[in-house]
Amino acid sequence: MHQINFKRLFLVFFFGGIFYTPLKSLAQIQEREKPAEWINLVPGGKFIDLFQPIPKVGQLTSETWGTATVKPRYVDNGIEDKEWSYWGGNILEGEDGKFHLFVCRWREDSPKGHHEWPNSIVVHAVSDNSMGPFKVLEEIGKGHNPEVYNTEDGRFVVYVIDGYYLANSLDGPWEYGQFEFDPRDRPIIEGLSNLTFARREDGSYLMVCRGGGVWFSKDGLDTFNQVSNERVYPPVDGRFEDPVIWKDNVQYHLIVNDWLGRIAFYQRSKDGVHWKTDPGQAYTPGITIYEDGTDEDWFKYERIKIFQDDLGRAVQANFAVIDTLKNEDKPNDTHSSKNIGIPLKVGMQLELLGKKEITSTTKAMKVLVKAEPGFNPQTDLDFSSLRYGASEEVNFGRGSKVVSTKPKGNDLEITFEGKGNGFKEDNFAGKMLGKDRNGEMVFGYSRLPWVDYNQAILSARKPEILKEKGIVSVKVENFGQVNSKKTVVSVEIFEDGKSAFVSTKKIKGIEPFEGVTVDLPYDKLIPLGTNLSFKVSIQSFKYATEVFEGSLSESNL
């Protein structure tokens, strides 16, 4: 991996968050300085470590467009040609065993050059290999930054900015439509563009918009409902875009790019609503290296998309890449853009055995490592290198060490000492990190048996004060996949920043994607002016309290 030079940035890092302050923000590029603590991350401690050397794809050639930094190259990686500039796009494997890429393009000789992108056309391309080369089968229609996904009932959706295309088959025919969005009394963060989607176990969908807002739809086509009150991205002064989310058999994953600093961040979540940021870069320029040593040093990597296996694990990343500044990509010149694929190290299948919660006093932990085609945990692992525990520990080479191993059929049961596991209340996954017998990095995540991964997701709308009736009315909805349990709803009203009254009520369970209107009493003799604000708190047993705050307008009185 290349050494990345980050400059002009003051950055402080700690396990709970990352903060940085740019020294200037108007340039198209602003190099970032890495925090000192990141130096202590071990291989596999940051997402960028998962990028693998790329196998040869076709023939190496210099007879193509691009700066000297991307030539010679394997033009058959992904999709490119001299007539079109390509951007964005992700891959699904079809029942035909082929790999289907949905990507957008515009003519390279367009008078606006790269800035012709608002008139781009989405195309369906196919290949026998996930790396390419991909050949265009059909034009679907106008649109930019596509992301394809399939619904529970077998239909396929190709999202584009401001709409989508829908078909019963990957081969079409495609019908254009537009989503409905309900912000639910919340501000839409930076607009609704560059959306990214993940299907949940019951067929409902989680969506994150460019600004970092979290939305839910009961089937991926019905109304998307916003539940987040603020962006879920890392607490940094970044210029964020290109979010991509995916879900595997352990957790949700999110990568978002700070385009100004050309650095991306990696986050994880148990429910898609509350996110943890892992240290280290998710990706940066300099990650396109082939098994034969060929190095394609693309100027920018954007629109990352993830190709997943049957367990949802990330096995390949696809990027839109360009060889120069976008403003320098002119018509009929030697610059352009394309889509490329890079293989990723695939995580091991892990199961933490037992149901008892792991704490700092736990003496030992047993983890089952499952065998897979091409991987035998009984013979392939360097046991002395393995560490298991909270990611905050193992990412830095700490965590619990191996005590003993025991074959379980083709699988392997590993006993780790309890010391140093690092598990705390906010951990929802265990991580194993180490090396195989060849010295190559291995990793994997496991669920924690005591953690509830499928909880109700309760969210309130803005309350209304019905003065004549002496009632504060608020609608509470459930966007989880299971019925909620008995819950306490509390509404506090503030006048000129001072608490005017608090009203509380218990409510019964709410079914997924259903809601109830809760009427809470208040003393209507309390005089209220017009400068009012509110705080709605929803408290369920064992779950963190959800809080929604804001101001009240005339229409809410």
Side-chain angles (χ1 to χ4, degrees), residues 315-505:
V315 300
Q316 178 176 317
N318 278 72
F319 290 93
V321 293
I322 188 169
D323 64 322
T324 187
L325 285 164
K326 295 177 182 179
N327 290 339
E328 297 302 316
D329 182 9
K330 309 292 185 181
N332 296 308
D333 65 0
T334 59
H335 302 301
S336 192
S337 57
K338 65 172 293 186
N339 184 285
I340 65 167
I342 305 177
L344 296 170
K345 171 74 74 172
V346 180
M348 300 178 289
Q349 291 187 64
L350 307 180
E351 181 184 354
L352 177 59
L353 303 177
K355 297 181 179 180
K356 188 176 180 180
E357 182 173 356
I358 304 297
T359 68
S360 60
T361 62
T362 298
K363 300 298 182 183
M365 304 175 292
K366 294 184 178 181
V367 181
L368 187 69
V369 184
K370 299 182 180 181
E372 299 185 64
F375 172 64
N376 183 343
Q378 298 177 18
T379 59
D380 293 351
L381 294 174
D382 175 5
F383 303 126
S384 65
S385 71
L386 298 179
R387 300 291 184 270
Y388 179 78
S391 60
E392 292 89 341
E393 297 298 314
V394 300
N395 285 340
F396 289 89
R398 303 185 294 266
S400 300
K401 299 179 181 180
V402 174
V403 175
S404 64
T405 64
K406 180 192 299 184
K408 290 285 186 179
N410 294 326
D411 303 331
L412 182 68
E413 180 185 291
I414 302 179
T415 299
F416 289 85
E417 62 183 6
K419 179 182 177 181
N421 66 77
F423 286 125
K424 297 180 180 178
E425 187 177 350
D426 65 340
N427 290 115
F428 49 83
K431 185 173 184 179
M432 188 184 297
L433 194 55
K435 298 178 182 179
D436 63 17
R437 297 281 186 175
N438 297 320
E440 298 294 324
M441 180 269 291
V442 293
F443 83 103
Y445 288 98
S446 73
R447 287 194 165 190
L448 303 181
W450 61 89
V451 173
D452 185 357
Y453 292 88
N454 202 358
Q455 300 175 350
I457 298 174
L458 297 180
S459 179
R461 291 180 180 263
K462 184 178 291 189
E464 292 184 278
I465 301 175
L466 307 177
K467 292 182 178 180
E468 296 80 6
K469 297 182 179 180
I471 289 174
V472 179
S473 182
V474 60
K475 186 172 184 179
V476 178
E477 296 165 287
N478 179 13
F479 296 102
Q481 303 177 76
V482 296
N483 291 358
S484 65
K485 300 182 184 301
K486 291 182 179 180
T487 302
V488 177
V489 178
S490 175
V491 177
E492 185 171 9
I493 303 297
F494 301 86
E495 183 176 13
D496 295 322
K498 297 181 180 180
S499 180
F501 69 85
V502 180
S503 190
T504 301
K505 189 173 184 178

Side-chain angles (χ1 to χ4, degrees), residues 155 172 175 177 267 310 395 434 460 488:
R155 290 180 291 176
E175 181 179 350
Q267 300 176 274
D310 291 340
N395 285 340
V488 177

